[in-house]
Structure formats: structure tokens, C-alpha cells
Amino acid sequence: RKAQLPMKVFHQEICSPTAVNVAKFAKFLSVSDQNLIVSKTTCLQIYSLHQNLLKEEDDKQRKVRLDLVSEFKLFGNIISMEVINIDPDLPDWLVVSFSEAKVSVLKWNPDEHDIEVISLHIFEDEEYKNGTVQLPVKPKLVIDPHSICGAMIIYSKHMALIPFRRHKKIEINRIYSDEEMQ
């Protein structure tokens, strides 16, 4: 009788990804700085933008320098990425969707000089898959203009709504009656 050895499955990238999937401008590191956030399959890069005005023969030229602040290897292929602003006094957050049906909300932690996961949402249950083995269409992530919530179509049949935490209360100016709504 042969001894059964546990099978180990692993994934190792031989080369770092080079093709850019998504790029967004955001005030991610601080409210005063403009950043370029780049996703390359499993890699997330954060660049800081520095603008220099050069005077050459009465013409002002603007040159922008990109500095790589940090790079992160993520566990999954990034499909889409959106920027949300929860509070104008705070830096922006990132909403990142991965292949299959995963969404993560990220923010910058200046004390740790690292990204921090605010929330992680996984919609890979069999009840959503409904027998689907491969995704016919990649999950599409959409954020409303006021950064109140996000929506993602998963497995071509379901919509997942993700509410975002607000630091300030949203004031409702008027409450409508049932008669006014009809």
C-alpha cells in the first residue's frame, strides 16, 4: 500500500506583469497629492506625481515626474478599479474587483506605509454560480457619482450592491409622501 502524500498546489509568477490593465488618478496617499494608481494583472503600483515648471525662452513648459511610491503583489487578477471619495477631508479609497466575483475596498495607511483592506466581498457561492464553471463575461464594477455605493454584475445574472461607509451624515432635505411618489 502506497502512502498518500498531500498534494501542494501553488502559483508562482516567473516574470512580473508588464501590461497595464487599469490606470486611475486619485488623491490616494494624501488630500494634497495627486497619484497615479496602476494595475498590472496581479500587481498594484502607486506613483506620486511631481510637476516642475521650466522657463525656456519665455515659454513655460510643464514637466511631470513620476515616482514609484509603492508596489504590491495581490492574490488575484485585477479586472477593474475605481476611485471613491468618502469625505473631501480624507484621501480617496480604491475599489478593486478581481476575476470571479471578489471586490476589495482599499485605503492608504500612512503609518504603516501600506494599503489597508477596508472591506472584502466574495460572491463565489454556488447559489450565484448556478452551475457556471467559467465566467462568460468578466464582472463589471460601477460606482455611483456620489460614492455612496458600488454595483457589480456577477455571473451575468446577479447584481451585488456594496454600500460605502460615510464619515459625515448625508442630510435629507425633504421626505416625500406616498402620494408624491406616484
Side-chain angles (χ1 to χ4, degrees), residues 48-64:
S48 186
L49 292 147
H50 299 287
Q51 295 185 2
N52 297 331
L53 289 176
L54 300 175
K55 294 180 183 176
E56 289 184 12
E57 300 175 13
D58 298 326
D59 290 335
K60 290 185 179 179
Q61 290 183 328
R62 184 189 306 181
K63 293 205 173 193
V64 178

Side-chain angles (χ1 to χ4, degrees), residues 2-178:
K2 290 183 179 179
Q4 292 182 351
L5 298 174
M7 183 187 294
K8 294 185 179 182
V9 179
F10 66 93
H11 170 78
Q12 180 179 7
E13 289 181 342
I14 296 171
C15 299
S16 296
T18 56
V20 174
N21 296 358
V22 184
K24 298 283 183 178
F25 284 107
K27 294 183 177 189
F28 189 65
L29 300 178
S30 72
V31 179
S32 59
D33 291 337
Q34 186 75 8
N35 305 112
L36 177 65
I37 315 293
V38 175
S39 77
K40 298 177 178 180
T41 313
T42 59
C43 180
L44 187 70
Q45 295 177 327
I46 302 169
Y47 291 91
S48 186
L49 292 147
H50 299 287
Q51 295 185 2
N52 297 331
L53 289 176
L54 300 175
K55 294 180 183 176
E56 289 184 12
E57 300 175 13
D58 298 326
D59 290 335
K60 290 185 179 179
Q61 290 183 328
R62 184 189 306 181
K63 293 205 173 193
V64 178
R65 188 181 81 219
L66 287 174
D67 291 331
L68 180 63
V69 175
S70 202
E71 181 175 303
F72 303 97
K73 298 284 183 191
L74 304 179
F75 297 103
N77 293 342
I78 299 170
I79 300 298
S80 63
M81 179 173 59
E82 295 294 334
V83 176
I84 60 172
N85 187 302
I86 300 297
D87 188 335
D89 299 330
L90 295 174
D92 296 335
W93 292 0
L94 288 179
V95 182
V96 181
S97 72
F98 298 91
S99 57
E100 281 292 317
K102 298 176 195 148
V103 177
S104 190
V105 181
L106 309 171
K107 78 172 190 174
W108 180 253
N109 185 339
D111 298 331
E112 300 288 327
H113 198 72
D114 200 357
I115 52 176
E116 183 178 316
V117 178
I118 300 298
S119 65
L120 177 64
H121 307 274
I122 300 172
F123 305 102
E124 295 178 337
D125 294 339
E126 286 301 320
E127 66 182 274
Y128 302 131
K129 287 184 178 181
N130 203 19
T132 304
V133 177
Q134 283 186 320
L135 291 174
V137 179
K138 301 266 188 212
K140 178 152 175 69
L141 177 67
V142 179
I143 306 295
D144 80 302
H146 300 293
S147 298
I148 295 172
C149 70
M152 187 168 83
I153 302 293
I154 51 175
Y155 302 110
S156 302
K157 293 182 177 183
H158 305 282
M159 180 189 302
L161 293 175
I162 304 161
F164 301 127
R165 182 175 69 194
R166 305 294 295 183
H167 289 281
K168 295 180 180 176
K169 286 187 176 180
I170 299 172
E171 295 182 18
I172 299 173
N173 294 331
R174 183 172 179 200
I175 299 174
Y176 294 95
S177 67
D178 290 338

